Amino acid sequence: MSDVQRYLLRVDEDKDSAQRIAEETAQSLVSKTQSLIDVVQSLGEYINDEDASIRSKAVNYLSQVISALPNTTLSRQQVQVLCQFLCDRIEDGGAVGGLRKLQSLGRFNREMAIMTFRALVEHFQDLMIRPHAQRLQILELLNDLMLNHRGSLRSLGDGAIVGITDLVSGEKDPRSLMIIFSILQVIMVEWDIAAKAETLFDSAFCYFPITFRPPPDDPYRITAQDLKVRLRSCISASSHFAPFAFPQLLEKLDSTSPNVKKDVLQTLTACTTSYNAAAVSKWSTTLWDSLKYEILNVQEEDLAEDSLVTLQAIAITLGRDLTSTNQTTHLARFLKPIMNECKEELQAPQHKKAKPAGQILSSLASSSSVALLLVVKAIVPPLLTIYQDVDSIASQKALLEVLVQIFNAAVLRDEAPGVVRSSADAEHPLAPFKDRLFEVFSQALMSSPHEEVTFRVVALKGLLRLCQVRNYLQNSEIGMVVQYLDEIVLTEDPSGREDVKDEAIQALVEISKSKHQVIMDITFPAFMANLPDQPTKDQTDYVVTLEGLARLSVEKSISDTLIRRLLNKLETVLQNDGQASYTQALLSTIDYVLSRRDLPSDTNLSSYHEKIVVTYVCKAALASVGSGPEALVEAATLEILGRLIARIVCALDEHKRRSVAIETFTLFTQEGSPFIPVLYRQDIPEKQRRTMILSTWILASVGQAADALYTVADDIDFDSLLNELTRLALVETTPTIRHYILEQIALLVNRSSTSKGLSDALRAMYNPIEAAQIDATPSIDATPIVFWIAKALLLRLSHTQEVLDHLLGLLSDNSCGPTSARGFGLLLASDEIISKQYGAKLRLLSKQKVFSICAPRIAADFRAAEASVKPNYLIALSGILKDVPTEVTMAEIATLLPLLLQSLDLPDQEVKAATIASLAVISQESPGAVEGHMSSLVNRLLQAASKPRENIAIFPGRVKGSVLLPYRAGFIKGILPVLDDAKRHVRKMAVECRATWTNMDEPDQDA
């Protein structure tokens, strides 16, 4: 049996096996055990068979044989013969694959390419009715010819264009369309299409607009946007298309579909950007007449924005390479009627069309330097005249907004790369109006009533833009603006006018980017002078000043100076035993400024280490024993200082971090100092115990360098330190101090690098009191230590099963069960100190692992538990769920949902809130899961809505209306008390919630 016979027998049943037969034939040709003539002759009876399917399979066999051959196997004569053979039989199908292989060979010449193309064109009517897969193959062959033999096809002239447009017509498959648009774009851009421009345009535009929606799980990943972008490239490819594109696109702009209108506008933008100025100019007035409706009569904001972009694109094209302001240019003739119409609209500044008119002018002015000059000359003088004549603040504000938009355009032109300046642009277009504009905006900002907040904000933005226009204002004038802004920030009463202060600070920040010396000379002295050495008891205005200074510290030179001056001010405040709140504000400002610096590469890092870390940690330690200012030993001060030193220490190199680690508990105090470390001491005053806050931040910031601690003394090792910290946590009565000691314990355990250390941690978790070597008393609660150690172990997935078994066992204990239940909320919660930033070991799957063990166990134990301890399991479950990813919890939703519903009956409001949040996620991700529990769920939610009432808006609207509809009347009645809540935002949520239920669709209207 010949290879072709074997192939024909297998091809319908097993295509892979048939493919292997063709490859075997190809191998025999390579090894010359049979010749190409033998293979072709073996096809004789099959390629002449009356059955078209047999002919197609026979030709396909030959194509697969050719495709399997190495590129150098066939001679030029053989390639010629095979090309002729396959072209003659292209209507039988199966020949395309072989031709694709042949055209890729070096011996495939111009004549063969033309022969192949003509074969495609001559049989295009037969090819058009082929299935999608075969059509795709044909288009891929055409694409190959365009890639590899474009010159051969191009030599056929207009005949090739007509043939290609015939081949690409009537297609719907997105894969084929992507190829078609690529082929057409090449022709449109590279070939002489003048004689066939309309034919080519029609072949592409017939697919506009694209309404394709990819099916779910589309394997080809072709989106509607992909098709739109490629089709848009075709429509905008040649200026020859202008007479056809513009009228048809404008006709489609009348569509009622926002998506179609958006597509039209984006295509118009592409066309006006790509076409030459002469082509665009002929249609510019017509385009304006259509676009102005979308802009001036705003119906959809995004459509108005797209229309402005199109309008700007027209101006950019008409002004490209233009240096003359002559009124006969395409650009001037385009702008003149637009500016006249905008001036007319601005005669009534409060009219709704005035604002979009300003947007039009700004968009046009930013298109080119010449356009800016034309707009400024035509618009600014009448605007200033109108401003002088109007009396109302609202009208003046509207006019200033238009001027600010023109200023924005001027700033954009300055920032535009490769800007071409006209000869008339040597003097800035706004220069003739500088004094008047500066006066108008200065008076609006500083002389207007302070209650006119929005008016003053517009004026402030205008002055900022004038400062940002390149080489426009003198430094002295910019300095005057800076003084205005300083005055607003420092002296105006902020009550009800925070917007003006915020804008003023932001304006100073913007000015500092280009004129930082002005800020250094004017703003810094003014702000620093406003900082008191010793504020009065009720004085808090320094907060605004410090906020302004912090936000100004964008440039390195400014922030360097600021840190230096703030440290000097802090020293003065501490010497005067200043207020703790003022000290905290200064430290917070320094921390904020440093947070915006790249500290590891900062040349001042060593200075920060000495002047901040060493100096102020030591001062705080001494203050705790009465040898320093009281402000430094306030818990809040120590927390802020701790964050600040941690930020600096994290940036230090390993050697310096080890030197810092050694001082974790001695806090940089010298031998003989009155300060004695807290460890291993009894009956320590609270002020000294507060230094454990700093010790915690130091321990966190040194990372793995903390091991240096164990080199300080022979009697300090991991076990002894853990036991001592456990003792301190057990006897500590101040919550803040105890929290930081617990953080230290968790840090030590989580970062432990030895198995012995983990064993010691487990022992301390099982019996903290025994590890601390103290006597148990009723006042000592060891549960927090148990859960902090457990947290440290679970986050690194050490002894996970063992730890969770112990914790879950505590829930059934009547004495410690309630406390333990709350502890579960700690296990997976994010923590500022136990974090990657400070070298904590956090495994990616820790949350999934803990949940997968706890969820089924809690559900099972809950069912078997006594009634008195059942709430413990619900509280524990709520604590875990709040920190577990939604996709993880959904796997156990059927098990957990009954427990969550019962959690809503608990009196604990935090548990209720966490449960409602979980139910909200479940109803969003899997609404079907809650539909069967809707009756009890709605009633419980109404009860939860009364206390706390903030939860009322969590659930409604997440599940199908047809499921909720039977409960609508009851829910609307039940929500009535909440409508009278004392809190405004609760009443607002209640109204929105009621509206959701009231407007619910009937079942037959449900999507």
Side-chain angles (χ1 to χ4, degrees):
M1 184 182 297
S2 66
D3 287 348
V4 67
Q5 291 173 323
R6 291 167 52 218
Y7 178 91
L8 294 174
L9 288 173
R10 301 300 299 274
V11 69
D12 289 330
E13 299 176 0
D14 188 350
K15 293 187 182 298
D16 291 338
S17 177
Q19 174 68 31
R20 286 194 294 272
I21 293 170
E23 290 171 356
E24 290 172 5
T25 305
Q27 187 58 42
S28 69
L29 290 174
V30 174
S31 62
K32 299 185 178 179
T33 55
Q34 66 173 321
S35 66
L36 183 61
I37 294 175
D38 295 333
V39 174
V40 174
Q41 287 178 344
S42 68
L43 298 173
E45 61 180 293
Y46 304 110
I47 59 174
N48 296 313
D49 197 284
E50 294 181 359
D51 189 335
S53 65
I54 293 178
R55 295 198 306 271
S56 176
K57 292 170 188 175
V59 175
N60 194 55
Y61 164 73
L62 179 59
S63 291
Q64 290 189 1
V65 171
I66 295 171
S67 298
L69 289 171
N71 289 347
T72 58
T73 301
L74 297 174
S75 66
R76 183 178 301 276
Q77 184 180 6
Q78 289 173 324
V79 172
Q80 171 75 35
V81 171
L82 287 171
C83 179
Q84 182 69 61
F85 182 85
L86 291 174
C87 286
D88 290 343
R89 288 159 180 79
I90 199 167
E91 75 276 10
D92 288 335
V96 173
L99 288 169
R100 289 195 68 193
K101 172 68 177 182
L102 291 176
Q103 68 80 34
S104 68
L105 301 178
R107 296 179 175 126
F108 191 88
N109 59 26
R110 177 180 180 278
E111 288 73 22
M112 299 177 202
I114 293 174
M115 180 196 309
T116 304
F117 175 72
R118 283 176 171 161
L120 289 172
V121 172
E122 288 169 5
H123 297 91
F124 86 92
Q125 290 183 334
D126 294 331
L127 300 177
M128 282 179 63
I129 61 175
R130 298 279 176 85
H132 282 313
Q134 291 185 29
R135 283 273 299 157
L136 179 61
Q137 268 197 325
I138 293 164
L139 290 170
E140 286 172 340
L141 172 58
L142 180 59
N143 191 53
D144 291 341
L145 291 172
M146 288 292 293
L147 283 172
N148 301 322
H149 307 281
R150 191 177 307 167
S152 302
L153 270 58
R154 187 174 182 177
S155 67
L156 297 176
D158 293 346
I161 295 176
V162 174
I164 290 172
T165 54
D166 287 340
L167 280 171
V168 302
S169 61
E171 190 54 69
K172 295 181 180 179
D173 183 81
R175 294 171 296 167
S176 299
L177 287 174
M178 293 292 282
I179 296 173
I180 288 171
F181 296 153
S182 295
I183 294 170
L184 290 176
Q185 186 181 2
V186 169
I187 298 171
M188 293 167 174
V189 171
E190 297 184 11
W191 294 14
D192 180 6
I193 63 168
K196 295 294 180 183
E198 186 172 7
T199 301
L200 262 178
F201 175 80
D202 289 343
S203 68
F205 198 79
C206 65
Y207 296 108
F208 187 91
I210 296 291
T211 57
F212 167 72
R213 289 187 179 180
D217 302 321
D218 178 21
Y220 308 116
R221 299 284 186 262
I222 297 174
T223 65
Q225 188 61 25
D226 295 333
L227 292 168
K228 287 179 181 180
V229 169
R230 198 161 287 189
L231 174 57
R232 195 172 297 146
S233 298
C234 291
I235 297 171
S236 62
S238 172
S239 298
H240 291 297
F241 295 157
F244 319 115
F246 287 135
Q248 294 193 57
L249 286 170
L250 292 177
E251 182 181 342
K252 292 186 182 294
L253 192 58
D254 295 332
S255 170
T256 57
S257 168
N259 288 334
V260 172
K261 291 171 81 84
K262 189 175 185 66
D263 197 4
V264 169
L265 289 169
Q266 290 177 351
T267 305
L268 281 171
T269 300
C271 291
T272 53
T273 302
S274 176
Y275 296 169
N276 60 43
V280 173
S281 178
K282 291 178 182 178
W283 293 89
S284 59
T285 303
T286 306
L287 290 168
W288 158 243
D289 289 338
S290 297
L291 292 172
K292 70 180 179 183
Y293 178 83
E294 300 294 336
I295 302 170
L296 295 174
N297 303 279
V298 182
Q299 295 177 331
E300 299 279 347
E301 285 291 342
D302 57 338
L303 293 179
E305 290 174 7
D306 286 336
S307 299
L308 285 169
V309 172
T310 305
L311 197 64
Q312 185 183 55
I314 297 171
I316 290 173
T317 297
L318 297 181
R320 192 175 294 139
D321 300 327
L322 188 65
T323 58
S324 170
T325 58
N326 192 301
Q327 294 298 313
T328 61
T329 63
H330 292 316
L331 178 63
R333 285 189 281 120
F334 170 64
L335 292 179
K336 186 175 181 179
I338 299 177
M339 292 188 295
N340 288 336
E341 194 160 341
C342 288
K343 279 192 288 186
E344 187 176 330
E345 297 294 349
L346 292 171
Q347 294 294 324
Q350 288 184 270
H351 192 271
K352 66 178 183 178
K353 291 185 179 180
K355 182 178 179 180
Q359 292 172 335
I360 290 170
L361 293 171
S362 175
S363 180
L364 294 172
S366 62
S367 65
S368 67
S369 298
V370 173
L372 175 63
L373 179 57
L374 291 170
V375 170
V376 168
K377 288 175 66 176
I379 298 298
V380 172
L383 276 184
L384 291 174
T385 302
I386 297 170
Y387 183 87
Q388 190 172 350
D389 294 340
V390 298
D391 296 326
S392 72
I393 292 289
S395 295
Q396 290 179 340
K397 172 176 169 285
L399 292 169
L400 290 188
E401 284 177 336
V402 176
L403 286 169
V404 171
Q405 289 173 326
I406 293 175
F407 299 164
N408 288 339
V411 173
L412 285 173
R413 289 312 310 155
D414 287 338
E415 296 173 350
V419 173
V420 178
R421 299 286 184 188
S422 68
S423 57
D425 199 34
E427 181 183 55
H428 198 282
L430 289 167
F433 316 103
K434 183 175 77 170
D435 293 341
R436 180 63 179 140
L437 289 172
F438 193 84
E439 178 188 1
V440 165
F441 279 88
S442 297
Q443 288 180 350
L445 177 62
M446 303 307 294
S447 302
S448 301
H450 288 184
E451 293 76 19
E452 298 294 343
V453 174
T454 56
F455 179 57
R456 298 184 71 212
V457 167
V458 173
L460 190 154
K461 288 180 177 178
L463 285 174
L464 171 61
R465 290 292 178 263
L466 289 177
C467 291
Q468 291 176 319
V469 174
R470 189 182 302 161
N471 300 325
Y472 186 59
L473 295 183
Q474 299 295 323
N475 279 347
S476 59
E477 293 166 323
I478 295 175
M480 191 175 297
V481 174
V482 169
Q483 289 180 42
Y484 294 157
L485 300 175
D486 292 347
E487 182 179 337
I488 291 171
V489 175
L490 297 177
T491 64
E492 289 190 8
D493 180 8
S495 58
R497 290 182 285 277
E498 287 293 340
D499 287 350
V500 180
K501 278 188 178 287
D502 287 343
E503 290 289 345
I505 292 174
Q506 187 57 42
L508 288 169
V509 172
E510 293 297 321
I511 293 172
S512 72
K513 293 176 182 178
S514 58
K515 298 290 182 180
H516 66 272
Q517 193 58 48
V518 176
I519 299 297
M520 296 288 289
D521 294 342
I522 299 175
T523 298
F524 254 59
F527 275 51
M528 293 304 299
N530 202 54
L531 288 178
D533 292 339
Q534 182 71 359
T536 61
K537 184 177 180 180
D538 299 325
Q539 185 178 358
T540 58
D541 57 349
Y542 59 79
V543 174
V544 176
T545 305
L546 287 172
E547 179 190 352
L549 286 168
R551 289 173 60 181
L552 278 171
S553 62
V554 176
E555 300 297 319
K556 185 178 185 300
S557 59
I558 294 178
S559 62
D560 284 344
T561 304
L562 177 58
I563 292 172
R564 187 167 58 252
R565 295 189 183 182
L566 288 178
L567 287 174
N568 292 337
K569 180 65 68 175
L570 178 61
E571 193 64 31
T572 303
V573 171
L574 293 176
Q575 286 174 0
N576 295 330
D577 203 15
Q579 294 176 11
S581 58
Y582 191 29
T583 302
Q584 292 158 19
L586 288 167
L587 287 170
S588 294
T589 305
I590 296 170
D591 184 43
Y592 176 80
V593 174
L594 289 180
S595 72
R596 305 169 78 180
R597 301 284 290 268
D598 181 15
L599 284 178
S601 60
D602 198 313
T603 55
N604 296 319
L605 181 59
S606 295
S607 174
Y608 299 150
H609 170 233
E610 289 297 328
K611 292 182 179 180
I612 299 177
V613 177
V614 176
T615 300
Y616 284 97
V617 170
C618 181
K619 284 187 176 186
L622 294 175
S624 72
V625 293
S627 298
E630 285 286 320
L632 274 181
V633 287
E634 291 284 338
T637 306
L638 292 172
E639 286 187 272
I640 296 169
L641 179 58
R643 290 187 180 89
L644 173 58
I645 63 174
R647 188 180 306 282
I648 296 169
V649 173
C650 281
L652 296 173
D653 59 43
E654 180 71 14
H655 174 73
K656 285 191 176 180
R657 272 187 284 134
R658 290 185 69 82
S659 69
V660 173
I662 293 172
E663 304 288 349
T664 299
F665 299 105
T666 56
L667 304 179
F668 300 100
T669 54
Q670 301 298 316
E671 189 174 345
S673 164
F675 174 77
I676 302 174
V678 173
L679 297 182
Y680 307 108
R681 293 173 58 200
Q682 305 288 336
D683 302 323
I684 312 164
E686 181 182 337
K687 287 183 180 179
Q688 294 181 43
R689 300 200 310 273
R690 288 178 194 163
T691 61
M692 291 299 284
I693 297 173
L694 287 180
S695 296
T696 302
W697 283 107
I698 292 174
L699 187 67
S701 62
V702 296
Q704 294 301 323
D707 291 345
L709 263 176
Y710 308 134
T711 65
V712 177
D714 294 337
D715 58 343
I716 295 183
D717 59 16
F718 178 87
D719 187 31
S720 64
L721 183 56
L722 178 61
N723 291 341
E724 173 59 12
L725 290 174
T726 302
R727 181 188 71 80
L728 290 173
L730 287 170
V731 299
E732 183 55 62
T733 56
T734 305
T736 301
I737 301 174
R738 183 171 62 245
H739 171 79
Y740 277 96
I741 296 173
L742 291 169
E743 292 269 18
Q744 280 195 51
I745 292 172
L747 270 173
L748 282 177
V749 173
N750 181 266
R751 296 196 308 212
S752 174
S753 56
T754 66
S755 56
K756 181 181 183 304
L758 297 177
S759 299
D760 293 340
L762 278 174
R763 178 177 54 78
M765 185 192 73
Y766 282 127
N767 198 334
I769 294 176
E770 180 182 308
Q773 299 179 358
I774 61 174
D775 296 329
T777 65
S779 62
I780 292 178
D781 182 11
T783 308
I785 295 177
V786 172
F787 277 86
W788 275 95
I789 294 176
K791 177 185 181 74
L793 293 169
L794 292 173
L795 290 177
R796 60 180 286 170
L797 291 181
S798 293
H799 304 278
T800 306
Q801 186 69 55
E802 185 178 352
V803 170
L804 290 175
D805 285 345
H806 177 65
L807 300 183
L808 291 166
L810 299 175
L811 295 176
S812 60
D813 190 299
N814 282 311
S815 59
C816 69
T819 310
S820 299
R822 291 189 173 282
F824 277 82
L826 167 73
L827 295 179
L828 300 177
S830 59
D831 188 88
E832 184 178 7
I833 292 177
I834 313 298
S835 63
K836 286 282 189 184
Q837 179 184 357
Y838 298 122
K841 297 178 180 178
L842 308 179
R843 298 287 294 274
L844 289 175
L845 297 178
S846 57
K847 293 184 177 183
Q848 289 88 328
K849 182 71 172 177
V850 170
F851 176 79
S852 65
I853 293 174
C854 287
R857 172 79 179 273
I858 287 175
D861 290 356
F862 174 82
R863 289 190 288 269
E866 298 178 3
S868 60
V869 297
K870 279 182 180 289
N872 297 343
Y873 293 93
L874 299 177
I875 294 171
L877 176 63
S878 174
I880 290 174
L881 285 179
K882 67 183 177 61
D883 296 305
V884 176
T886 303
E887 59 270 17
V888 177
T889 60
M890 296 309 295
E892 295 285 342
I893 192 60
T895 304
L896 300 179
L897 192 55
L899 275 68
L900 290 173
L901 292 175
Q902 294 185 58
S903 297
L904 289 174
D905 297 330
L906 295 176
D908 190 305
Q909 303 305 325
E910 290 184 11
V911 174
K912 278 186 179 180
T915 302
I916 291 173
S918 298
L919 287 169
V921 173
I922 293 168
S923 63
Q924 181 73 39
E925 299 294 329
S926 180
V930 299
E931 290 178 1
H933 303 271
M934 197 51 59
S935 177
S936 59
L937 183 55
V938 169
N939 292 331
R940 285 181 164 101
L941 284 172
L942 278 172
Q943 293 172 6
S946 61
K947 203 184 282 186
R949 292 179 177 176
E950 287 83 353
N951 292 326
I952 61 172
I954 293 286
F955 186 74
R958 305 234 179 206
V959 182
K960 287 194 302 183
S962 57
V963 176
L964 294 175
L965 198 63
Y967 311 101
R968 178 167 62 180
F971 194 92
I972 292 174
K973 181 179 179 182
I975 206 76
L976 288 175
V978 191
L979 294 170
D980 297 323
D981 193 275
K983 296 179 181 178
R984 182 177 179 275
H985 76 279
V986 176
R987 297 196 302 273
K988 180 175 181 291
M989 286 194 295
V991 170
E992 292 172 352
C993 182
R994 182 179 64 174
T996 301
W997 287 76
T998 302
N999 299 328
M1000 197 180 300
D1001 291 337
E1002 296 296 328
D1004 61 333
Q1005 294 175 306
D1006 251 356

